[in-house]
Structure formats: structure tokens, C-alpha cells
Amino acid sequence: MDDFSELDPSFLVAHDGENAYSAVVPPIVQTSLFTFASVKEMEDTYRGLKVRPVYSRGLNPTTRAFEEKLAALEGAEDALGFASGMAAISSTVLTFVEPGDRVVAVRHLYPDAYRLFETLLKRLKVEVTYVDGRDEEAVARALPGAKLFYMESPTSWVMDAHDVSALARAAREHGVLSVIDNSWASPIFQRPLSLGVDIVLHSASKYLGGHSDVVAGVVAGSRELVGRICSQTLPYLGGKLSPFDGWLLLRGLRTLPIRMKAHEADALHVARWLQAHDAVESVQHPALRGNALPPGLEGTSGLFSFIFKEGVDIAAFADALGVFKLGVSWGGHESLCVPGLVVLAQNQGPNSAHAFGISPRSVRLHVGLEGTTALVADLERAIQAATR
Ligand SMILES: *Cc1c(COP(=O)(O)O)cnc(C)c1O
């Protein structure tokens, strides 16, 4: 690929090189195994003298095509596809920590990442310190002696956006490996490796897939670090991306740049409308916090939350919505709503709602691609139903 292609995500997602039969779309190589012509070829492959697909828990041409495209989008040497975002997170973290190690994590993590840290990592005698990622001095104080620094920016519910390059620099100064969950911004709006982070990962179930029809994850970084995950944990935890899901992700990526711009514009429109509404106390959106976006965050996506004023019947609000559906996840074409009170009532694993920073009067919205006219009308009607 030439320099232009490396710089332009729209070209990267549209361009594939050559496919078999000159097909515009790459085939789905839907097979679990690949056979050999001779014992010699088999032996050479097992010895590592020859690289070719053997079994789809390892290498498969369709998942590989997605991995290469994602690596190019993140400016990474290599990438590795997983069966879910959590498989990507657990395989990555478990590659780099051992008993007695300490992890520093920003607070208000994605809930299941937090629960992984509070259950499995604890059983492995790995300690986790949570810090406010906006407080660079607190992060610098926590880093010495740590093995891994785990970031998410903006954070899952309250949408704190961090200065990722400053935090990554601090981690490097203390010799701590840095990892970031970049699901919210996608590589269209934030390329963490260029900001000095060592490893970037995604729930590909969100914007990378973009159509709410696949659960998947991906990790990208240097050949060395991705290679360690690929050889030391992925084969044994076994959460590899499947060929069909890899194909769905390749299709989803085609429209990632234009989808992200539409999510950004429409979510900003809806968030500003909410901010001006009498029933709303505050809006938790990185672009509406009064200060500029941190360096390296070049745009905002469709996911944000807001807090209702006292006295609003939030269940009545959510039940009255029609275009916004009640549902978890996000990143697809459809608009979604999750009331904070539901998450606070969840009874799964260490339920430390305060660890997620969720207010009982908050509501998280994902602004999909239905257009702002219908979305604002839907919200207006639901707020009326909730404030009668
Ligand atoms: C959904 C999500 C995950 C987990 O991804 P799955 O694909 O559901 O396993 C991780 N991080 C963030 C920020 C998420 O929203």
C-alpha cells in the first residue's frame, strides 16, 4: 500500500486489493480446517517454516482480511480478531499479568471489564488500583511498580474523556505497558497507537460491525505484543473470531467513516436539544463539557448520557419512547436507551454501581441513523409523559 492509503481511512475500508474470481467482496472461507498435500508440507508448517492456515482457531483467510484492515486503520503492525470484546480484553490482560502484579485502571470502566478485574484477576492475586483518568497526577502516583495501565476513553457511562497521550507518556516513563479500549471513538476519531499507547482493543460488536448483527472483538499493536497474545493466551482461551463474523465485520467497516460522521452530527444535535430542555439537569457528552476535546480525540460518537432533574418519572419516560428502543449495547444503526436505575439494580458479580459512576437519574442514549427529526420528537413526547 502507498502512503496515501495509509492516511485515508475511507480508502482503507473501500480498498481490498484482489479477490478470487475478481469478486468485489472477499469470500467467506467457512471452514474449520485446511488440509495438506504432503507430510513434508505439514511438517514445515508445524515447524513454523511455512505460514498457512491449519485450523480456524488460529489462522483463517477471512478473519485475517479483517485483522489486516483493522491494523491499517489503527496504524498498527498487526491485529488479532476475537469472538467478543470481552475475549479480546481477557486474553490481552491475561497475557501480560502474573500473580503478584498490579494493574492500574481508569475508573468507570466498562462493567464486565471491571468485573473481570474484580473476580478472575483477584483470584490470580493480581491487584487493581482505580484512578480518575482526568487527574494526571493521581495516575502518575499510581503507576510506579505497576505492570499494566488499562484505559478507556471516553469512559462507558459518564463519558470522561482523557488526555490519552499524556497518560500514555506517563505509563511509558514508568515502564508500564498501556492498553486502551477504543470502542467508543473508533479509529476514525481516535488512533491511540499514534498517541503513544502500546495496545488498542475494541468491542467490534459496536461501531466496527455497525449493524448489530455480530459479537466480536479485536486487539491491535506491535507485531511483538500482538504475537505474544496470539501465542500465549488466544490458543488456550480459544476465543477466536469466526470466518462469518470476520466477513460481517469487513462489510461493516466499509461504511465506518461515513457512519461515524452521521452518529457524531446527530448525537450532538440530540445532546444539545436535551441540554436546553427544562427537565434535564446535565448532559454527559465529551463535546458539551465546556472544554475542548482532549488532544488526539478528533470527533465524538453516538453514545452519551444525561441526567434528569429531580421528580421526572424515568420509567415512564423510557416506556413512552418509541423510536429509541430499550436495549443494551450500541454502535448499530438503531437508537437505544438504557436508564441508569436498571444498571444499578443489576445483580451480577461485584455490583459496584458507584464504580461505574452511574447516577440513578441518568439515562444513556445511543443515537442511531434514523435522523434527528424523529428522534427529537420521540424524546419530547416521552419527556412529556414523564413530567405530567
Ligand atoms: C460492549 C463493550 C465491551 C465488551 O464487548 P463485547 O463484544 O460485548 O464482549 C467492551 N468495552 C466497551 C466499552 C463496550 O461497550
Side-chain angles (χ1 to χ4, degrees), residues 192-209:
L193 302 179
S194 73
L195 303 175
V197 179
D198 295 311
I199 296 174
V200 55
L201 54 83
H202 288 270
S203 168
S205 324
K206 313 296 163 56
Y207 288 123
L208 302 184

Side-chain angles (χ1 to χ4, degrees), residues 84-86 89 110 152 156 181 183 203 205-206 215-216 330:
S84 70
M86 280 312 301
I89 293 170
Y110 174 71
E152 193 183 315
S156 264
D181 181 332
S183 309
S203 168
S205 324
K206 313 296 163 56
V215 172
W330 43 272

Side-chain angles (χ1 to χ4, degrees), residues 202-287:
H202 288 270
S203 168
S205 324
K206 313 296 163 56
Y207 288 123
L208 302 184
H211 294 72
S212 302
D213 53 10
V214 59
V215 172
V218 67
V219 175
S222 70
R223 205 160 279 125
E224 203 263 319
L225 293 174
V226 173
R228 281 177 63 184
I229 302 166
C230 188
S231 64
Q232 293 176 17
T233 44
L234 172 72
Y236 316 127
L237 295 179
K240 179 72 184 186
L241 177 66
S242 77
F244 182 56
D245 286 345
W247 185 86
L248 285 172
L249 291 176
L250 280 167
R251 189 184 60 163
L253 285 184
R254 303 280 187 213
T255 53
L256 181 67
I258 56 170
R259 282 190 286 110
M260 293 311 291
K261 281 168 202 143
H263 285 297
E264 174 177 48
D266 288 7
L268 270 170
H269 181 95
V270 171
R272 289 202 177 103
W273 180 85
L274 282 167
Q275 199 173 36
H277 200 290
D278 280 347
V280 173
E281 185 175 287
S282 62
V283 174
Q284 298 175 309
H285 184 298

